[in-house]
Amino acid sequence: MGNELMVFVVMVIVQVAFAGMIIISKLVMDGGMNAFVQSAYRPIFATISIAPFAYFFERKTRPKMTRSILFQIFLCSIFGITANQNIYFIGLKNSTPTIVSAIDNLIPAFTFIIAVPLGVEKLGLRSIAGQAKFWGTIVCVGGAMLLSLYHGKVVIGQLGFHWKYAENTDKDVNSPHSNFFLGPFLLILSSLTYAIWLIIQARVNEKYAAPYTSTTLMCLMASVECIIIGFCVAPKLSEWALNPIRALSVVYNGVVATSLTYFLSSWCIEKKGPLYVSMFNPLLLVISAFLSWILLREKLYLGVVVGSIIVVAGLYGFLWGKKMETSEEDIEVNKEKINQFSKSIDLELQLTPKANMKHITESKTEL
């Protein structure tokens, strides 16, 4: 009971950490920080904070690096950090934390869509589990489209509380955006790149059993890539200057929202499995909406609320189907093991002298 409570608390902490990243990133970008500069700093601090773990924990157990694995890690840096984070932060700058958190729930659906043609996942429309995954994916995407295209009336207005840092931003997060569609669209694209990274990262984990080392290399490569892109877009050194709130943002994003959350999520996956961890994604939506309403004076619109509810409902439908499918696979595996064991016992009965038959028959009966 205590262990389960600990895992639950850790996952809540992980979601709070992610929500904090969204809020503070939105804050500094509305305050004038370039989104590409923000994206470049994150992998730098992530590399610095993860590298010691790779050195001390895996220096003696690290497997041999091959060109194939190194290339796959390079692809992970492209899709998982460089493309994902640059698109993500631009989308966040042109959107709100609530929309960001809602669209993040599309990641399992996109992963499923990509995994099916690659043979990693089975569609299985003839089974209830397959239908649940399919329709859950459709509902998720539909909710995201509604959230992106429909604004609607204000459901919850601004809070009277004003945070001093929010008052210094260049624009109000609730002001009419001429690019209101651009933000959600880029965030959907960001979820797609993240799903591609999950598929590639799974291959890396299978072939290279050194997660801290592979993550350090991935962040290091992404740091170089993001710095090059950042200086192409923002060549002036003044745009890279860090005041206290910007420094807090980039350090927090690299150390807490990347290194710490990676470690905690990995620990929870080991204890309870990836499905349990993914069930906490909708909690990020609630925390982000609450914090952005309090700190960033965000209004909640009807389209955002309804679209978010649809996305979360689709996510749980998908996860329910996935859980059912996993249970069915476990049952089939256990049946196969029992059948194989029974066949081996029968073979022993045929080959063993009568003096030992009684003992073998008792073993089969106990099974």
Side-chain angles (χ1 to χ4, degrees):
M1 180 66 181
N3 188 45
E4 290 191 2
L5 179 61
M6 178 62 70
V7 176
F8 176 84
V9 172
V10 168
M11 279 310 306
V12 173
I13 292 173
V14 168
Q15 299 306 319
V16 172
F18 281 136
M21 180 201 72
I22 295 172
I23 296 297
I24 196 169
S25 298
K26 174 66 175 175
L27 186 69
V28 296
M29 286 189 294
D30 278 352
M33 187 175 189
N34 189 287
F36 291 96
V37 174
Q38 175 83 353
S39 300
Y41 273 117
R42 182 178 180 181
I44 293 174
F45 284 98
T47 304
I48 294 171
S49 57
I50 295 176
F53 293 95
Y55 178 76
F56 289 108
F57 292 162
E58 297 176 345
R59 59 178 175 174
K60 295 181 179 180
T61 60
R62 189 181 297 121
K64 183 180 178 180
M65 176 66 68
T66 64
R67 291 183 179 179
S68 174
I69 295 173
L70 188 63
F71 178 69
Q72 290 180 22
I73 293 175
F74 171 72
L75 292 179
C76 285
S77 72
I78 293 290
F79 289 101
I81 298 181
T82 303
N84 175 264
Q85 290 303 303
N86 280 291
I87 297 171
Y88 180 88
F89 281 122
I90 298 172
L92 174 60
K93 187 172 184 179
N94 292 283
S95 185
T96 66
T98 304
I99 293 177
V100 170
S101 305
I103 292 179
D104 274 349
N105 290 295
L106 284 174
I107 293 173
F110 280 142
T111 305
F112 174 66
I113 293 172
I114 297 171
V116 168
L118 294 177
V120 179
E121 285 278 352
K122 296 179 180 179
L123 189 58
L125 289 177
R126 294 182 179 180
S127 66
I128 297 177
Q131 292 175 10
K133 291 196 301 180
F134 175 78
W135 289 112
T137 302
I138 297 298
V139 171
C140 268
V141 175
M145 291 298 101
L146 175 64
L147 186 149
S148 304
L149 300 174
Y150 177 65
H151 206 167
K153 298 180 180 179
V154 175
V155 177
I156 301 177
Q158 289 182 350
L159 186 67
F161 172 77
H162 293 286
W163 192 24
K164 66 175 183 177
Y165 288 111
E167 291 173 354
N168 293 328
T169 55
D170 288 343
K171 60 184 179 182
D172 183 3
V173 294
N174 298 295
S175 60
H177 297 300
S178 59
N179 50 6
F180 181 80
F181 172 76
L182 177 63
F185 173 77
L186 290 176
L187 293 169
I188 292 172
L189 189 59
S190 173
S191 296
L192 180 60
T193 60
Y194 192 85
I196 295 173
W197 170 76
L198 287 175
I199 301 295
I200 303 173
Q201 184 64 45
R203 296 289 298 274
V204 173
N205 292 343
E206 291 175 1
K207 297 181 179 180
Y208 193 74
Y212 289 114
T213 302
S214 63
T215 303
T216 300
L217 289 173
M218 179 179 67
C219 291
L220 180 61
M221 292 177 182
S223 298
V224 177
E225 295 158 6
C226 290
I227 288 174
I228 293 173
I229 295 173
F231 271 107
C232 288
V233 177
K236 296 181 180 179
L237 290 178
S238 59
E239 297 186 74
W240 292 75
L242 298 177
N243 58 29
I245 189 65
R246 291 186 181 185
L248 175 63
S249 173
V250 296
V251 173
Y252 179 92
N253 289 348
V255 177
V256 178
T258 302
S259 301
L260 180 62
T261 54
Y262 174 85
F263 172 76
L264 294 178
S265 297
S266 299
W267 181 79
C268 291
I269 290 172
E270 181 182 351
K271 295 294 182 182
K272 300 290 288 184
L275 185 65
Y276 180 88
V277 172
S278 63
M279 292 288 284
F280 283 81
N281 281 0
L283 182 61
L284 176 62
L285 172 60
V286 177
I287 297 172
S288 298
F290 179 73
L291 290 179
S292 60
W293 177 60
I294 291 178
L295 300 177
L296 301 183
R297 299 170 293 161
E298 180 183 344
K299 297 176 183 178
L300 290 182
Y301 293 91
L302 180 62
V304 174
V305 173
V306 175
S308 299
I309 293 173
I310 293 175
V311 168
V312 172
L315 172 67
Y316 276 114
F318 173 86
L319 293 176
W320 178 79
K322 183 63 179 175
K323 183 177 181 180
M324 181 182 295
E325 183 182 67
T326 303
S327 300
E328 292 174 353
E329 290 176 353
D330 291 340
I331 292 173
E332 290 299 323
V333 170
N334 291 332
K335 284 182 179 180
E336 184 65 25
K337 289 181 179 179
I338 293 173
N339 290 335
Q340 291 177 356
F341 187 76
S342 298
K343 289 178 181 179
S344 67
I345 293 293
D346 290 337
L347 183 60
E348 288 185 43
L349 284 172
Q350 296 175 14
L351 301 177
T352 305
K354 293 182 179 180
N356 296 328
M357 278 190 179
K358 183 179 179 181
H359 174 70
I360 298 174
T361 306
E362 289 176 353
S363 299
K364 186 175 180 182
T365 304
E366 290 177 1
L367 179 64

